[in-house]
Amino acid sequence: MIGVDIVDVPRFRALLARRPRVAERLFTPAERAYAQSRPDPTERLAARFAAKEAVMKALGAGFGDVAFKDTEVVRATGGRPEVVLHGRAADRARHAGVTGWHLSLSHTATSAVAVAVAVGAGGIAPDHESGSGDPS
């Protein structure tokens, strides 16, 4: 299962300016702290919002099926983004047989994009993660 999402950064910036508390509803304290440590927090938050949407799409979840904070983007050793699921998102992934995630984020001053790939029974087979090897 694959999910992709793109966010218009200026539009997201305007939303956060109009409704500053929306960040508290969408992002965990750790996600907000990481973004605030960067020169332009909005680009990082937009990328994380795109990741949350991409994960929801990969899970087949619609708006309201899972809380935005149930999908958390953390930084692994070396800075690679990773998905950590909580609550209903974790339940939905477990039910679908998802055992892990591949996540890619990218952003500029104008766009943020995320691609989320579920790994496991409901997603890509774990033994073919690298894209190499015999697919039979």
Side-chain angles (χ1 to χ4, degrees):
M1 299 179 297
I2 299 172
V4 178
D5 196 65
I6 187 166
V7 173
D8 181 282
V9 173
R11 186 174 173 203
F12 198 72
R13 186 182 315 279
L15 169 68
L16 293 176
R18 273 193 327 273
R19 299 177 54 202
R21 295 196 65 163
V22 76
E24 293 174 18
R25 289 200 326 264
L26 297 175
F27 303 102
T28 66
E31 288 171 319
R32 292 192 314 269
Y34 167 71
Q36 291 300 323
S37 74
R38 311 308 295 176
D40 185 354
T42 304
E43 290 177 11
R44 273 55 180 200
L45 291 175
R48 277 149 182 75
F49 184 76
K52 292 167 185 276
E53 289 275 326
V55 167
M56 283 191 241
K57 289 173 182 177
L59 289 173
F63 239 45
D65 288 344
V66 298
F68 282 100
K69 285 186 183 178
D70 282 354
T71 301
E72 184 176 18
V73 178
V74 299
R75 289 172 48 100
T77 305
R80 179 173 54 85
E82 287 188 345
V83 174
V84 176
L85 298 180
H86 310 282
R88 291 193 328 229
D91 293 342
R92 195 172 185 113
R94 196 170 21 260
H95 180 72
V98 175
T99 59
W101 292 90
H102 295 292
L103 179 65
S104 183
L105 308 176
S106 189
H107 58 82
T108 68
T110 58
S111 299
V113 66
V115 177
V117 179
V119 176
I124 293 175
D127 52 329
H128 297 291
E129 288 177 2
S130 67
S132 61
D134 181 10
S136 56

